[in-house]
Amino acid sequence: MSKKDVMAAIYLRDPSGFADLINGHCFEGEMVIHPEDVQEMDSTQIYTGEKKYFRRYQDLTRKVVYKAQFVVISVEEQSQVDYTMPIRVMEYDVGRYEQQLQDKRREHRKKKDLSGKEFLSGISKADRFWPVITIVLYFGKHWDGARSLQELLELDALPPQMRKFVADYPLYLIEEGSYPYIERFQTDLRLVFGFLQNADDKEKLRRFAVKEKEGLSKLAEEAYDLISVFSENKELEKLKKNRQTAGKGTVNMFKGLNDMLMDAREEGKAEGKTEGKLEGKLEGKDEGRAEERRKILQLIQRGYSVEELQKVLEKENVSK
């Protein structure tokens, strides 16, 4: 995992942030999943079966309670596009189901409660598995990779009658940089997405900061760190030390951001003044040359000789 992926995982490790991401993306902002519904689960997949062994690591996996059942939800953070992502996600999900199958078979072996076809399968006819969902959280503006398994397959030459039998596997993707529904988030996740979406335009960032002044004034430290890492703004890391709220784990980002933007604005003004002076000098020189040419033409039209023209011009230069 890269530093960016690690920081995203640290932020979403908080049940409030994890629940907010699911509610915002899956339930259009409705508070369906609560922080207390989010339970810890090992993100490592370990499977040992007949002639088959594997260990995989996912960024973040949680067991989520919904009414009377569990749902296994994993979030894969991506700071770069992975062109194999549909296959990767499919492998992760299959691995989760294989783990559940292995666990159920182990329980039945201990109980010795199966016979006939159930004994051969290793599970009972009534056994059911927890649903598995993987969401890819991409910290970028445009995912230019495949969004489903079929986009990775050579299907053009396949007849339609056969193509319909080729299974697909969709990618459930959140593109942070262009996500249009950030208002659905109720936690600092809204501020993280909003900041990063406006980070490249100082005027848009200023307007965003004014609009979200209250939230940015007491931003969670983990959210600040996430913004700092993904925006790659070294100035934010310097400002953090002066804007931390002692003992509260928050950072007054609005004040720090305001200072940073004000400094940038002053630098812009200074650059503008310098450019203005330089342009003024150049324009003045151009206008002076044009005026001089006009005077020479007027003198020539009045019948002045070359010697007389030189004397007039020399006299004007001395007076200037």
Side-chain angles (χ1 to χ4, degrees):
M1 292 175 69
S2 68
K3 182 180 179 180
K4 291 181 177 180
D5 295 337
V6 170
M7 294 304 300
I10 289 173
Y11 177 78
L12 289 173
R13 197 166 54 190
D14 178 6
S16 297
F18 192 92
D20 193 32
L21 181 70
I22 304 306
N23 288 326
H25 188 59
C26 300
F27 299 103
E28 299 183 357
E30 184 181 353
M31 187 71 76
V32 175
I33 305 299
H34 300 273
E36 57 268 24
D37 298 328
V38 180
Q39 300 183 10
E40 292 278 345
M41 188 172 183
D42 191 357
S43 295
T44 306
Q45 294 183 19
I46 301 176
Y47 177 85
T48 56
E50 187 176 349
K51 297 182 180 179
K52 188 174 183 180
Y53 308 90
F54 70 72
R55 173 181 288 181
R56 290 196 194 94
Y57 299 94
Q58 288 188 267
D59 292 341
L60 191 69
T61 301
R62 291 293 180 262
K63 188 166 58 176
V64 177
V65 181
Y66 178 70
K67 294 185 177 180
Q69 75 169 71
F70 288 111
V71 182
V72 178
I73 302 179
S74 296
V75 177
E76 285 295 308
E77 299 93 6
Q78 289 292 127
S79 54
Q80 301 290 334
V81 175
D82 185 343
Y83 296 114
T84 70
M85 206 68 205
I87 294 176
R88 257 183 69 191
V89 169
M90 187 167 60
E91 288 178 338
Y92 287 145
D93 292 352
V94 169
R96 290 289 169 197
Y97 287 122
E98 285 188 327
Q99 273 191 306
Q100 293 184 60
L101 176 60
Q102 187 182 41
D103 292 342
K104 287 185 180 297
R105 283 175 170 166
R106 188 183 300 112
E107 290 173 9
H108 286 301
R109 283 199 301 270
K110 287 181 180 179
K111 294 179 181 179
K112 299 181 180 180
D113 58 351
L114 300 179
S115 61
K117 289 182 288 186
E118 289 185 333
F119 180 79
L120 292 174
S121 300
I123 63 171
S124 74
K125 183 180 178 180
D127 280 333
R128 292 294 179 268
F129 300 91
W130 298 336
V132 175
I133 298 171
T134 296
I135 295 174
V136 177
L137 178 56
Y138 172 54
F139 283 90
K141 291 184 177 180
H142 176 61
W143 179 275
D144 64 354
R147 294 170 182 257
S148 70
L149 176 63
Q150 286 199 0
E151 290 184 36
L152 291 175
L153 305 180
E154 287 285 359
L155 298 174
D156 294 342
L158 210 62
Q161 298 91 330
M162 188 176 291
R163 192 182 304 175
K164 66 182 181 181
F165 293 105
V166 178
D168 199 5
Y169 208 85
L171 200 64
Y172 299 109
L173 180 70
I174 299 176
E175 293 170 290
E176 162 274 317
S178 57
Y179 194 69
Y181 309 114
I182 63 173
E183 73 281 353
R184 293 177 180 175
F185 299 129
Q186 306 298 316
T187 66
D188 287 343
L189 198 61
R190 185 183 77 256
L191 302 176
V192 172
F193 274 47
F195 184 100
L196 294 176
Q197 286 182 1
N198 292 285
D200 293 337
D201 189 316
K202 289 180 181 177
E203 182 55 31
K204 286 184 178 179
L205 186 58
R206 186 192 66 79
R207 290 200 297 268
F208 170 77
V210 171
K211 178 184 175 184
E212 300 290 353
K213 178 179 179 180
E214 183 178 354
L216 290 172
S217 297
K218 50 183 178 182
L219 190 68
E221 188 174 351
E222 292 82 2
Y224 187 98
D225 291 339
L226 195 60
I227 288 172
S228 178
V229 168
F230 276 95
S231 66
E232 298 181 344
N233 191 320
K234 295 180 180 179
E235 193 65 26
L236 289 179
E237 186 61 33
K238 296 176 184 177
L239 289 169
K240 178 183 174 181
K241 296 178 181 179
N242 299 324
R243 300 303 170 198
Q244 282 180 298
T245 307
K248 294 185 178 180
T250 61
V251 182
N252 188 342
M253 188 174 199
F254 176 78
K255 183 68 172 81
L257 188 60
N258 190 54
D259 292 346
M260 187 177 72
L261 291 175
M262 285 297 291
D263 290 344
R265 188 175 294 178
E266 290 302 319
E267 288 176 7
K269 286 181 180 178
E271 289 176 3
K273 287 179 180 178
T274 303
E275 289 175 2
K277 288 178 181 178
L278 181 58
E279 288 174 4
K281 286 180 180 179
L282 292 174
E283 287 174 2
K285 288 181 179 179
D286 290 339
E287 289 175 2
R289 291 192 188 107
E291 180 63 25
E292 188 175 5
R293 284 194 295 270
R294 283 195 295 271
K295 285 182 179 180
I296 291 171
L297 286 172
Q298 288 173 356
L299 292 172
I300 291 172
Q301 289 170 356
R302 288 162 60 182
Y304 277 63
S305 65
V306 175
E307 291 80 6
E308 290 174 326
L309 285 172
Q310 287 179 340
K311 288 180 181 179
V312 170
L313 294 174
E314 287 173 1
K315 186 176 180 181
E316 287 188 359
N317 287 333
V318 171
S319 63
K320 287 178 182 179

